[in-house]
Amino acid sequence: NKDILVNYRAKQLRCTNFNTLHFLLANGEIQGKTIVMCYSVKDCYTLKKLVPNSFVLVSKSNSNYMPEMEEVRNYIIENESLPDTYMEVTERDNNKRPIKFERRKLNVLISTSTLREGINLRKGSGIKNIVVCFTDELHISQCVGRCRFNIENLIVVDTYIRTDNYNPKSYLAEQRQLFKDYMENRSNTRWF
């Protein structure tokens, strides 16, 4: 097929950086449920501390996987949607099981790149916004592609990634530099 088929679109592109992302998510300017794909688990938990009604979901093989993540993970798989609530744990036993917790409204799901494959989300899910902390086309397309419908906002986030210092010629490092040039308005439309 010689033509690229575009089935779904984002109505608005927003660009920011990781240090200011929480303001955008927490101030009420962005309405509707949001999915965030962070670069690392550390970034996920950093963002969670700053964004109310947010939940972190990581891969089952990750040492940070917690028992309450199973409920959210299964709901997404079975319903192609996000649950309305999640379990905010305040105390755990020695086996990481929740002892004290409360139910909270789920507005923002924060995850790693584990979220970019293997799930589909339907229009009735309430998801309006996708945040991608990767600036390359592949990651953006794969993450947004989880939604089988138009979204309101695609938010692309410049994120510091330490490995760029080791290999500045890598695909991801080059894409991040193009994004930075675009953000700094250096007449660079190559990234866009």
Side-chain angles (χ1 to χ4, degrees):
N1 191 356
K2 294 180 182 178
D3 296 324
I4 297 172
L5 300 176
V6 177
N7 294 323
Y8 309 108
R9 298 179 184 269
K11 292 181 182 173
Q12 185 169 2
L13 170 66
R14 295 175 184 242
C15 300
T16 189
N17 62 45
F18 191 80
N19 293 332
T20 60
L21 175 60
H22 68 279
F23 292 118
L24 192 60
L25 297 175
N27 73 4
E29 182 179 336
I30 302 294
Q31 297 295 309
K33 290 186 179 181
T34 301
I35 293 179
V36 180
M37 185 175 75
C38 289
Y39 178 74
S40 68
V41 173
K42 181 181 176 186
D43 287 349
C44 290
Y45 283 104
T46 298
L47 191 58
K48 179 183 176 18
K49 288 179 188 174
L50 301 169
V51 178
N53 297 329
S54 62
F55 182 80
V56 173
L57 178 65
V58 299
S59 170
K60 271 185 132 174
S61 62
N62 192 294
S63 63
N64 291 295
Y65 191 82
M66 295 293 153
E68 64 274 14
M69 292 180 184
E70 191 72 14
E71 176 186 51
V72 172
R73 180 182 177 276
N74 288 341
Y75 189 94
I76 293 169
I77 292 168
E78 291 170 13
N79 299 288
E80 297 183 338
S81 183
L82 296 185
D84 291 330
T85 63
Y86 70 97
M87 189 185 312
E88 181 70 33
V89 177
T90 55
E91 190 177 333
R92 299 181 184 282
D93 66 14
N94 292 337
N95 294 319
K96 298 183 180 180
R97 289 184 301 239
I99 296 174
K100 291 185 181 177
F101 62 90
E102 64 180 81
R103 284 266 167 212
R104 291 193 183 165
K105 183 177 180 183
L106 177 57
N107 290 334
V108 180
L109 178 68
I110 305 169
S111 186
T112 57
S113 60
T114 189
L115 194 61
R116 72 177 186 208
E117 295 176 357
I119 63 162
N120 292 316
L121 299 162
R122 57 185 164 77
K123 189 172 185 174
S125 65
I127 297 166
K128 303 261 187 215
N129 316 292
I130 300 289
V131 179
V132 185
C133 296
F134 291 81
T135 58
D136 66 288
E137 183 180 0
L138 177 66
H139 282 88
I140 293 169
S141 298
Q142 286 184 327
C143 188
V144 174
R146 300 304 91 218
C147 295
R148 305 301 194 200
F149 51 91
N150 293 336
I151 59 170
E152 293 294 319
N153 295 288
L154 167 60
I155 303 164
V156 181
V157 180
D158 181 31
T159 305
Y160 173 74
I161 299 176
R162 193 169 36 117
T163 57
D164 286 354
N165 298 327
Y166 305 127
N167 188 3
K169 297 279 186 201
S170 74
Y171 165 74
L172 290 175
E174 287 178 352
Q175 291 301 307
R176 270 188 288 285
Q177 187 56 53
L178 286 173
F179 181 74
K180 287 177 186 179
D181 290 346
Y182 174 78
M183 289 286 291
E184 291 172 4
N185 198 19
R186 293 186 182 170
S187 299
N188 182 340
T189 58
R190 192 167 158 212
W191 175 83
F192 182 76

